[in-house]
Amino acid sequence: MPTISFDGQEITFEPGQTIIEAAMASDLYIPHLCWHPDFPPHGSCKLCSVKVNGRICSACTFPAAEGQEVVSSSEEVRQLRLRLTQMLFVEGNHFCPSCEKSGQCELQAMGYYLGMTDNHYPHFFPVRDIDASHPHVLLDRDRCIFCELCVRASRADGKNVFELAGRGIHTRLVVDSPSGKLGDSNLDVNDRAAHICPVGAIVVKETAFRIPIGQRKYDRRTIAEVSVAEEAPLLRKRYEQKED
Ligand code: FES
């Protein structure tokens, strides 16, 4: 098996794997928000930035290659990821203390993981529509980080309910329905797209605040621990299925 050096540790990879897949297959965490082992990479959040042979690359899209030297845990890389996370916070409206996703939110958990103590940048306070028209699913665009996981999941569901539209600060998550409202779309509460959002932009109604503080997903484990425990097995399963 070919190998790369990951933070000084030799790890093997299968030809065709990206750096994040190679790391994850060895239970090594690389921060990420828009990557998910079940979907094609999107390469938008850049949280997975690593240094490969001295150059910054996105680990979720960059293929692993024999002899690469990958640095993921340096202070320089942590600082870069911290600034990217702070940008994500200020370009949306993220009010963690009152958000029902608090304690279960990947963006919030990423902030904790990277030691974020302030926003660093001024807030944009964008004005975005909230869509509560669906009987079972709420779309709160204030919290969207444009990772497109719902878009990719809905594509895989065969429904294509979600898409991103607009550019820059005007980018918005839009819904494929005659009125543009979620309630008029064919999204079902059991669709994967209704459950894949890493933040609180798409949430299932009447499920909020059910888990007590102290028992929520990221109360006791870091995002790195949760990711290695939950996503690495999904990745391994995907490769096993490929081999069958
Ligand atoms: Fe690689 Fe988002 S995880 S760019």
Side-chain angles (χ1 to χ4, degrees), residues 20 30-36 41-49 57-62 147 152:
I20 203 169
I30 296 178
H32 56 272
L33 287 173
C34 71
W35 180 79
H36 188 288
H42 187 235
S44 60
C45 75
K46 303 298 173 199
L47 258 292
C48 66
S49 293
C57 303
S58 302
C60 72
T61 53
F62 206 78
C147 66
R152 285 174 277 166

Side-chain angles (χ1 to χ4, degrees), residues 13 22 27 59-60 71 113 126 198 215 217 223:
F13 67 92
D27 285 339
C60 72
V71 176
Y113 181 74
Q215 293 174 30
K217 193 171 186 178
I223 191 167

Side-chain angles (χ1 to χ4, degrees), residues 4-10 28-30 69-74:
I4 58 174
S5 157
F6 186 87
D7 285 334
Q9 181 183 337
E10 192 110 321
L28 295 167
Y29 176 68
I30 296 178
E69 293 215 354
V70 179
V71 176
S72 179
S73 351
S74 68

Side-chain angles (χ1 to χ4, degrees), residues 9 20 26 38 46 49 51 60 65 76 80 88 172-173 194 200 223 232 236 243:
Q9 181 183 337
I20 203 169
S26 296
D38 286 350
K46 303 298 173 199
S49 293
K51 258 195 162 174
C60 72
E76 180 194 4
L80 172 65
L88 286 172
R172 294 285 184 277
L173 189 63
I223 191 167
R236 279 193 278 272
E243 279 163 17

Side-chain angles (χ1 to χ4, degrees), residues 133-150:
S133 59
H134 194 283
H136 305 297
V137 180
L138 174 75
L139 170 56
D140 186 340
R141 291 184 175 88
D142 279 337
R143 304 165 182 164
C144 181
I145 58 169
F146 311 119
C147 66
E148 278 206 7
L149 272 170
C150 60

Side-chain angles (χ1 to χ4, degrees), residues 9 13 44 67-68 75-76 87 109 129 136 140 145 162-163 175-176 207 212 237:
Q9 181 183 337
F13 67 92
S44 60
Q68 277 170 342
E75 179 55 18
E76 180 194 4
M87 284 185 210
D129 291 338
H136 305 297
D140 186 340
I145 58 169
F162 298 105
E163 194 54 86
V175 171
D176 180 21
T207 60
K237 196 168 145 201

Side-chain angles (χ1 to χ4, degrees), residues 14 236-244:
E14 291 186 28
R236 279 193 278 272
K237 196 168 145 201
R238 201 182 88 204
Y239 273 89
E240 279 164 19
Q241 282 169 348
K242 250 187 196 172
E243 279 163 17
D244 294 344

